[in-house]
Each structure stands twice: as structure tokens, then as C-alpha cells.
């Protein structure tokens, strides 16, 4: 795989994971309250806007990434985001990694490795 494709792929993983983690941090704040007050609280905090920013940049990176390889390969390589998000969720938010989730991580990682080796 060309260096630019790898750089865009890694940027996509970082931005997507960062966006998901920022949204989780915004949504998981217990001080937010309920209903409309919750949304106002989240809108006044940086985590929500960091997540939005990550997604805007990720969209641009994703378009550039997909311009360099076939859609079928790009989508499969992009699925590694799921692994990054699950692992980061474990370390940052204490989420559980059950045996089934670990098996999923291994299968997704194997699939990405196979697709990446063939690209």
C-alpha cells in the first residue's frame, strides 16, 4: 500500500476514534441532567464540539482515502476503527471486553490484515 494511503488510513482511525470518544465523554457526563437541559449542557462543553470537529476532518480524510483504493477495500480497512474504539473504551471508560467482543476484535483485525496485505 502506498505511504499516502497508509497515512490517510491511520488519520481516519485516529479521527473516527477521537470523535467517538469525545461524544462518549460528552454524553456520559452525569452532571448533564435530562431532556433539553442535557443537550444545552453538552453544547456548552468542549467534548461535543471536539467530536464534531473530528468527524468533519474524518469525512475529508475518508473521501481522500477512498479516492486511492476500491470502495470494497476501503470499507474493510476502515472497520479497524471498531477495534480502536472498543479498546479505547475499555481503557478510558472502563467498558467491559467480554470473550465475544475479544473474538470480534481478533476477527476484525485478521480481516483488516488480510485485506491490507492484498492491497
Amino acid at each position: 500500500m502506498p505511504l499516502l494511503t497508509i497515512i490517510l488510513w491511520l488519520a481516519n482511525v485516529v479521527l473516527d476514534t477521537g470523535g467517538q470518544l469525545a461524544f462518549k465523554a460528552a454524553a456520559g457526563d452525569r452532571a448533564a441532567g435530562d431532556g433539553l437541559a442535557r443537550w444545552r449542557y453538552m453544547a456548552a462543553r468542549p467534548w461535543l464540539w471536539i467530536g464534531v470537529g473530528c468527524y468533519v476532518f474524518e469525512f475529508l480524510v475518508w473521501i481522500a482515502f477512498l479516492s486511492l483504493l476500491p470502495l470494497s477495500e476501503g470499507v474493510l480497512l476502515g472497520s479497524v476503527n471498531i477495534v480502536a474504539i472498543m479498546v479505547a473504551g475499555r481503557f478510558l471508560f472502563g467498558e467491559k471486553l467480554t470473550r465475544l467482543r475479544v473474538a470480534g476484535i481478533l476477527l476484525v483485525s485478521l480481516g483488516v490484515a488480510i485485506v491490507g496485505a492484498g492491497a
Side-chain angles (χ1 to χ4, degrees):
M1 213 178 332
L3 181 60
L4 179 59
T5 305
I6 293 170
I7 290 169
L8 289 171
W9 177 50
L10 293 174
N12 175 265
V13 171
V14 168
L15 289 167
D16 186 54
T17 303
Q20 291 284 350
L21 295 173
F23 287 147
K24 174 67 175 179
D29 192 339
R30 296 177 195 267
D34 292 323
L36 186 57
R38 178 179 195 79
W39 284 98
R40 286 186 184 138
Y41 181 89
M42 287 189 301
R45 301 294 182 271
W47 287 119
L48 180 71
W49 301 108
I50 291 169
V52 169
C54 283
Y55 269 38
V56 168
F57 286 113
E58 190 233 348
F59 170 75
L60 299 172
V61 168
W62 183 246
I63 296 299
F65 177 67
L66 288 180
S67 73
L68 299 176
L69 68 163
L71 179 62
S72 59
E73 288 178 29
V75 170
L76 289 171
L77 289 170
S79 66
V80 78
N81 296 354
I82 297 165
V83 173
I85 292 164
M86 277 198 287
V87 171
R90 167 68 179 111
F91 288 107
L92 296 176
F93 301 110
E95 295 178 352
K96 294 183 180 180
L97 287 179
T98 63
R99 288 183 185 177
L100 195 55
R101 288 183 184 173
V102 171
I105 287 171
L106 294 173
L107 289 171
V108 168
S109 299
L110 178 62
V112 169
I114 290 169
V115 171

